Amino acid sequence: MTKRAFPPLYFLANLGAHLAFLPLLVLLLPRRVEAIATGEPIILLSQLLLVGGLVASASNIAAGWFSDQWINRHGNRRGPIGIGLGFLLLSYVYFATAVTPWALLVGILAFQTSLNLMFAPIGALLTDHISHERKGTMAGWLNMALPLAGLGITLIGRYSDMDAAWPFLALAGAIALLVVPLVLLWPQGLKLIDQPVATLEKTASLKGDFLLAWIARLTIQTGAAIMLSYLYLYVSGLAGSAAGYPDQSVSEGVGALSLIATIMSLGAGVLAGRWSDKAGQRKRPLIVTALGVAVAMGLLAWGGHWWVVLFAYALFTASLTAFLSVDSALVAQLLAGHRARGTFLGLMNLTNTLPAIIAPAAALLLSTSGLEVGLLRTLLAMGVGAGIVAAIAVSRIRAIR
């Protein structure tokens, strides 16, 4: 298969990776926890998310290092992707029958380890094989995976409003259909992009700008982790109090939010990526979208009407998708040509996994008996501050406009 087939195969595999974690962590796991918890479900859910975040943090760095060794020896990263996929599918089969807290703990450990073994090398492919002039646009297409994976939440919520085993198995099948083609049909003749950013020849410059990019993504992803981790419980609280909330179950409410957010944000990443490519700028789109996340989190924290929530969640998802698209291009451009780029991207992935620790840890600190509406509003207010900090950090990056 020719190298022209790589972008669509890459897009599908990246979508499969997002589908692997978003419906599970946003709907299936919280719903299973609510079904089996003997006390307040927020405590068990937060404990599972906390442990999962710790495992993901370590495993993604290790997977990045492993995939660096693999590509240096074999010229591609499809071996780690295939191995991770195999173990990921087994973890989903296990999750389907995990109905005790200890079983869920084992499941989250297996899931996070295998997911990151697959996800880390998939993330590195943008740096490996996409030219600088196309990184923003390609990153935009790749980050459409976030709202499209949210559509998976909508479908599950629509056809399964109670906890069951079959959604785990159906999701595993969908993931396999999306990722296997990249592993089996890896195009021949793909070139590695080895053009480092000229102003980053000094290691100090690379470390400084990489740190600022790291801080920006960490804060944005912390806001996202707060919203996504507790979306089910957030909607559960709205179901009995928010004006305009329709006559539907919590699962259907979560599905409705995900559907509207998907429609509103599908093009956001591509448009932002193309903007950054055409203008030769990464920083301005990042600042605008980071502030968009802050505004959306504020509306979600203090908006009391269901229609305000719908608008705010659409703005949140669109801004988040656009930010992550341009940010992915910026980081890939920073690291192009670096021999340890997979390891660096593993460190960058801490900005995805540490928020999964910070959000439940904050929730546990704020409440030991349950997540009341006022405490959830406090968590969302943290997301407002996170968006503002991200905008400031991006503005300080020097090497890339």
Side-chain angles (χ1 to χ4, degrees):
M1 184 167 289
T2 66
K3 60 184 180 181
R4 290 184 178 180
F6 177 71
L9 291 175
Y10 184 20
F11 173 82
L12 291 175
N14 184 67
L15 175 58
H18 281 74
L19 194 66
F21 73 84
L22 197 63
L24 177 74
L25 297 180
V26 173
L27 178 59
L28 294 182
L29 180 62
R31 193 166 68 178
R32 176 64 57 84
V33 167
E34 188 175 59
I36 71 169
T38 55
E40 292 292 337
I42 183 61
I43 301 300
L44 177 57
L45 179 59
S46 296
Q47 291 168 340
L48 291 171
L49 294 174
L50 191 60
V51 172
L54 289 168
V55 174
S57 299
S59 60
N60 195 273
I61 296 174
W65 175 86
F66 175 60
S67 71
D68 278 342
Q69 307 310 305
W70 189 282
I71 194 173
N72 291 336
R73 177 172 295 185
H74 301 285
N76 61 64
R77 301 184 192 266
R78 68 171 172 172
I81 295 172
I83 296 169
L85 174 63
F87 283 110
L88 177 68
L89 298 179
L90 290 176
S91 76
Y92 262 89
V93 174
Y94 176 84
F95 255 128
T97 57
V99 293
T100 68
W102 282 108
L104 289 180
L105 177 62
V106 173
I108 203 73
L109 292 173
F111 164 75
Q112 288 288 11
T113 302
S114 55
L115 171 68
N116 283 281
L117 180 56
M118 180 186 77
F119 210 170
I122 286 178
L125 298 181
L126 181 65
T127 301
D128 289 341
H129 301 299
I130 306 299
S131 66
H132 294 335
E133 295 75 18
R134 296 179 58 229
K135 277 183 167 60
T137 302
M138 187 64 197
W141 282 102
L142 293 174
N143 279 285
M144 285 178 66
L146 185 67
L148 286 174
L151 194 59
I153 302 173
T154 301
L155 292 174
I156 294 172
R158 175 76 171 82
Y159 294 105
S160 171
D161 60 358
M162 300 290 289
D163 178 51
W166 74 262
F168 292 92
L169 302 177
L171 199 54
I175 295 163
L177 287 174
L178 291 168
V179 180
V180 165
L182 178 66
V183 178
L184 295 183
L185 304 176
W186 189 275
Q188 300 299 315
L190 281 178
K191 295 181 179 179
L192 292 175
I193 304 300
D194 57 0
Q195 306 165 332
V197 178
T199 55
L200 289 181
E201 293 176 355
K202 295 182 179 179
T203 303
S205 298
L206 172 60
K207 288 183 177 179
D209 282 338
F210 182 82
L211 178 60
L212 287 168
W214 191 91
I215 291 171
R217 192 186 293 183
L218 176 70
T219 51
I220 281 291
Q221 292 284 57
T222 297
I226 289 170
M227 190 68 253
L228 296 176
S229 296
Y230 298 107
L231 180 62
Y232 186 86
L233 298 183
Y234 175 77
V235 175
S236 181
L238 291 175
S241 62
Y245 188 85
D247 183 19
Q248 59 185 17
S249 69
V250 176
S251 289
E252 290 173 323
V254 172
L257 279 179
S258 298
L259 177 60
I260 291 175
T262 297
I263 294 171
M264 295 297 293
S265 63
L266 268 178
V270 175
L271 291 174
R274 287 182 62 85
W275 172 20
S276 72
D277 281 345
K278 294 291 185 182
Q281 296 185 12
R282 309 291 188 202
K283 291 166 61 175
R284 186 177 298 175
L286 287 173
I287 291 170
V288 170
T289 52
L291 295 177
V293 169
V295 171
M297 296 290 281
L299 290 173
L300 287 164
W302 289 283
H305 197 283
W306 179 242
W307 285 102
V308 175
V309 171
L310 292 175
F311 168 79
Y313 193 70
L315 175 62
F316 163 77
T317 309
S319 298
L320 176 64
T321 304
F323 180 93
L324 294 177
S325 297
V326 181
D327 183 69
S328 296
L330 182 145
V331 172
Q333 194 170 336
L334 281 175
L335 297 178
H338 200 292
R339 186 171 178 81
R341 57 194 177 277
T343 306
F344 266 93
L345 288 170
L347 292 171
M348 181 58 72
N349 192 67
L350 288 173
T351 64
N352 299 324
T353 56
L354 287 178
I357 298 170
I358 295 169
L364 289 171
L365 285 173
L366 288 170
S367 174
T368 58
S369 60
L371 193 61
E372 301 296 336
V373 173
L375 297 179
L376 182 53
R377 181 173 290 126
T378 302
L379 288 171
L380 294 172
M382 290 172 55
V384 176
I388 294 171
V389 171
I392 294 172
V394 166
S395 71
R396 305 296 296 172
I397 293 174
R398 295 176 296 170
I400 296 178
R401 294 175 57 206

